[in-house]
Amino acid sequence: MLTQAPRGTRDVLPTESYRWQYIEGKMRAAAALAGYREVRTPVFEHTELFARGVGDTTDIVQKEMYTFQDKGNRSITLKPEGTAGAARCFLESNLYADALPCKMYYLNAPIFRYEAPQNGRLREHHQFGLECFGAPEATADAELILLAFRLLSELGIQNLSVNINSIGCPNCRPKYHGMLKDYLADRVEHLCEDCKNRFERNPLRVLDCKKPGCQAQVKDAPSMLDVLCDDCKAHFEQLQACLDAAGVPYRINSRIVRGLDYYTKTVFELITTTKDGNLTVCGGGRYDHLVEQLGGPDLPAVGFGMGLERVLMLLDAEGIQIPEPAHYEVFVTYMGDHRIQAFHLVESLRNQGIRADMDHCGRSLKAQFKYANKTGAPISATIGDEEAENGTVKLKNMATREECTVPVEEAGARILEMRKDEE
Ligand code: ATP
Ligand code: MG
């Protein structure tokens, strides 16, 4: 137990964190390009926020939340998704009083869901999410879809399929609920246990079930798109016009409904095909009534969430190499007595912005070189007896084996020159 992380969690090791930093950098840049600024909200919130925001009938609220009583007897839940917390923050800080829309993103936000761990499904995962509050126009929906598409394409992910749908609004959806319920009524005995429950509470969710048996049952179900009200229909047409104008290929997929209650009108998923089947890497949509439902003004909003683990998984699956920065630029090696000079040199190099290190484990000179090689440092800087006596240091290009001896105070400048030559 002691040396085993809880099931469904994953460490990011020091040797692999550069991969995360790489995609995080691209994500920040993608968000900034469209005017989204970062928001950071707590990892836990009052349970009520999710029950109210995400919806009592969702799998998330019914089965998947990490909920506990804190010492003050409050019911607390670890964030099972990012939107409700962002909306709470938007309201609490009166951000709606500023000029709208209010565009925000969160990066690397830990998300907790008690799900059955499997490939691409963890109990703690991390999301890049964007929320745009106060924008009713479909241009905002399209902007988000394009942002996600551009980001994933730039990262090199291929076979991306943009799936869009509209699930209507409180005006037109009840009619569809009725139609879907009628359709499912004859088939309910063939649905999984969860879907039998969903049939009673929220039939739309049956469309979202990933079990092949249920998917077969809903194959010929009526489509929400046939019963959209004029407003929702016009909105969906606008969205398509924007995507057409941008030339991004997309698919209208009336089976996409998303697992959360707060969605209205647009819902979308970016799906890739892997050898293990389809994988949704990004999902989002419009939630025009969430803010009001949380006690705020009646303000429309739209957003998406993208799983970082899934992005990394896809990069792996497609064999896309992420450039690994050299751990050190310089490794300082020294002979027995000259530890303090070596230490001084390392610190002076660091003061000049050069990534440097030395042995801290009492290795022999030979073992220091071996270790230096292992770190991949392109340059070594050695202080032997002669160098110590003359106040010099011997620099060596580890790849070409070229050497030169320079006064110790010039070492930094010389290394920077060598760095330039490499570039
Ligand atoms: P799925 O349909 O795969 O269960 P979801 O609809 O529950 O996904 P969202 O709540 O929309 O997913 O979350 C947004 C994104 O977060 C997903 O598209 C996916 O990339 C990622 N994600 C969701 N759940 C997990 C999980 N358990 N482990 C890893 N990544 C996840
Ligand atoms: Mg899910």
PDB file of all heavy atoms in Angstrom, residues 59-60 64 113 115 121 208 210 259 310, ligand 2:
ATOM      1  N   ASP A  59     -24.344  10.461 -14.554  1.00  0.00           N
ATOM      2  CA  ASP A  59     -23.472   9.433 -13.992  1.00  0.00           C
ATOM      3  C   ASP A  59     -22.484  10.054 -13.021  1.00  0.00           C
ATOM      4  O   ASP A  59     -22.182   9.499 -11.974  1.00  0.00           O
ATOM      5  CB  ASP A  59     -22.654   8.751 -15.108  1.00  0.00           C
ATOM      6  CG  ASP A  59     -23.503   7.734 -15.851  1.00  0.00           C
ATOM      7  OD1 ASP A  59     -24.691   7.594 -15.505  1.00  0.00           O
ATOM      8  OD2 ASP A  59     -22.961   7.073 -16.762  1.00  0.00           O
ATOM      9  N   ILE A  60     -22.008  11.223 -13.396  1.00  0.00           N
ATOM     10  CA  ILE A  60     -20.993  11.874 -12.561  1.00  0.00           C
ATOM     11  C   ILE A  60     -21.520  12.067 -11.148  1.00  0.00           C
ATOM     12  O   ILE A  60     -20.903  11.655 -10.173  1.00  0.00           O
ATOM     13  CB  ILE A  60     -20.572  13.237 -13.178  1.00  0.00           C
ATOM     14  CG1 ILE A  60     -19.804  12.994 -14.479  1.00  0.00           C
ATOM     15  CG2 ILE A  60     -19.734  14.048 -12.202  1.00  0.00           C
ATOM     16  CD1 ILE A  60     -19.272  14.247 -15.133  1.00  0.00           C
ATOM     17  N   GLU A  64     -19.976   8.909  -9.539  1.00  0.00           N
ATOM     18  CA  GLU A  64     -18.542   9.061  -9.755  1.00  0.00           C
ATOM     19  C   GLU A  64     -17.839  10.074  -8.862  1.00  0.00           C
ATOM     20  O   GLU A  64     -16.629  10.227  -8.940  1.00  0.00           O
ATOM     21  CB  GLU A  64     -18.290   9.429 -11.236  1.00  0.00           C
ATOM     22  CG  GLU A  64     -18.750   8.344 -12.197  1.00  0.00           C
ATOM     23  CD  GLU A  64     -18.608   8.742 -13.661  1.00  0.00           C
ATOM     24  OE1 GLU A  64     -18.228   9.887 -13.947  1.00  0.00           O
ATOM     25  OE2 GLU A  64     -18.901   7.886 -14.517  1.00  0.00           O
ATOM     26  N   ARG A 113     -12.919  11.415 -10.829  1.00  0.00           N
ATOM     27  CA  ARG A 113     -14.154  10.652 -11.077  1.00  0.00           C
ATOM     28  C   ARG A 113     -13.912   9.207 -10.685  1.00  0.00           C
ATOM     29  O   ARG A 113     -12.929   8.598 -11.136  1.00  0.00           O
ATOM     30  CB  ARG A 113     -14.553  10.709 -12.552  1.00  0.00           C
ATOM     31  CG  ARG A 113     -14.920  12.092 -12.999  1.00  0.00           C
ATOM     32  CD  ARG A 113     -15.367  12.077 -14.440  1.00  0.00           C
ATOM     33  NE  ARG A 113     -15.468  13.441 -14.923  1.00  0.00           N
ATOM     34  CZ  ARG A 113     -15.712  13.772 -16.188  1.00  0.00           C
ATOM     35  NH1 ARG A 113     -15.884  12.833 -17.084  1.00  0.00           N
ATOM     36  NH2 ARG A 113     -15.795  15.031 -16.540  1.00  0.00           N
ATOM     37  N   GLU A 115     -14.331   6.157 -11.629  1.00  0.00           N
ATOM     38  CA  GLU A 115     -14.702   5.354 -12.792  1.00  0.00           C
ATOM     39  C   GLU A 115     -13.885   4.075 -12.765  1.00  0.00           C
ATOM     40  O   GLU A 115     -12.890   3.989 -12.052  1.00  0.00           O
ATOM     41  CB  GLU A 115     -14.361   6.104 -14.086  1.00  0.00           C
ATOM     42  CG  GLU A 115     -15.143   7.388 -14.271  1.00  0.00           C
ATOM     43  CD  GLU A 115     -15.122   7.862 -15.717  1.00  0.00           C
ATOM     44  OE1 GLU A 115     -15.853   7.282 -16.524  1.00  0.00           O
ATOM     45  OE2 GLU A 115     -14.379   8.800 -16.027  1.00  0.00           O
ATOM     46  N   ARG A 121      -8.802   6.010 -19.185  1.00  0.00           N
ATOM     47  CA  ARG A 121      -9.816   6.350 -18.183  1.00  0.00           C
ATOM     48  C   ARG A 121      -9.205   6.221 -16.788  1.00  0.00           C
ATOM     49  O   ARG A 121      -8.890   5.125 -16.339  1.00  0.00           O
ATOM     50  CB  ARG A 121     -11.025   5.425 -18.333  1.00  0.00           C
ATOM     51  CG  ARG A 121     -12.307   6.030 -17.840  1.00  0.00           C
ATOM     52  CD  ARG A 121     -13.518   5.233 -18.274  1.00  0.00           C
ATOM     53  NE  ARG A 121     -13.872   5.459 -19.676  1.00  0.00           N
ATOM     54  CZ  ARG A 121     -14.439   6.582 -20.121  1.00  0.00           C
ATOM     55  NH1 ARG A 121     -14.734   7.546 -19.295  1.00  0.00           N
ATOM     56  NH2 ARG A 121     -14.726   6.709 -21.396  1.00  0.00           N
ATOM     57  N   ASP A 208     -25.928   8.342 -25.019  1.00  0.00           N
ATOM     58  CA  ASP A 208     -24.513   8.546 -24.690  1.00  0.00           C
ATOM     59  C   ASP A 208     -23.855   7.270 -24.172  1.00  0.00           C
ATOM     60  O   ASP A 208     -22.651   7.230 -23.944  1.00  0.00           O
ATOM     61  CB  ASP A 208     -24.444   9.640 -23.606  1.00  0.00           C
ATOM     62  CG  ASP A 208     -23.045  10.203 -23.427  1.00  0.00           C
ATOM     63  OD1 ASP A 208     -22.364  10.385 -24.444  1.00  0.00           O
ATOM     64  OD2 ASP A 208     -22.647  10.454 -22.284  1.00  0.00           O
ATOM     65  N   LYS A 210     -21.959   3.902 -23.724  1.00  0.00           N
ATOM     66  CA  LYS A 210     -20.891   3.371 -24.575  1.00  0.00           C
ATOM     67  C   LYS A 210     -21.015   1.868 -24.793  1.00  0.00           C
ATOM     68  O   LYS A 210     -20.256   1.285 -25.549  1.00  0.00           O
ATOM     69  CB  LYS A 210     -19.540   3.711 -23.960  1.00  0.00           C
ATOM     70  CG  LYS A 210     -19.352   5.212 -23.963  1.00  0.00           C
ATOM     71  CD  LYS A 210     -18.044   5.702 -23.451  1.00  0.00           C
ATOM     72  CE  LYS A 210     -17.980   7.217 -23.525  1.00  0.00           C
ATOM     73  NZ  LYS A 210     -18.981   7.917 -22.678  1.00  0.00           N
ATOM     74  N   GLY A 259     -22.490  13.994 -21.377  1.00  0.00           N
ATOM     75  CA  GLY A 259     -22.962  13.373 -20.139  1.00  0.00           C
ATOM     76  C   GLY A 259     -23.419  14.333 -19.054  1.00  0.00           C
ATOM     77  O   GLY A 259     -23.705  13.913 -17.940  1.00  0.00           O
ATOM     78  N   ARG A 310      -5.202  11.998 -22.356  1.00  0.00           N
ATOM     79  CA  ARG A 310      -5.612  11.437 -23.655  1.00  0.00           C
ATOM     80  C   ARG A 310      -4.816  12.061 -24.791  1.00  0.00           C
ATOM     81  O   ARG A 310      -4.481  11.380 -25.756  1.00  0.00           O
ATOM     82  CB  ARG A 310      -7.112  11.636 -23.869  1.00  0.00           C
ATOM     83  CG  ARG A 310      -7.890  10.701 -22.973  1.00  0.00           C
ATOM     84  CD  ARG A 310      -9.302  10.460 -23.427  1.00  0.00           C
ATOM     85  NE  ARG A 310     -10.004   9.742 -22.366  1.00  0.00           N
ATOM     86  CZ  ARG A 310     -11.300   9.546 -22.323  1.00  0.00           C
ATOM     87  NH1 ARG A 310     -12.055  10.011 -23.290  1.00  0.00           N
ATOM     88  NH2 ARG A 310     -11.846   8.892 -21.332  1.00  0.00           N
TER      89      ARG A 310
HETATM   90 MG    MG B   2     -17.295   9.970 -18.780  1.00  0.00          MG
END
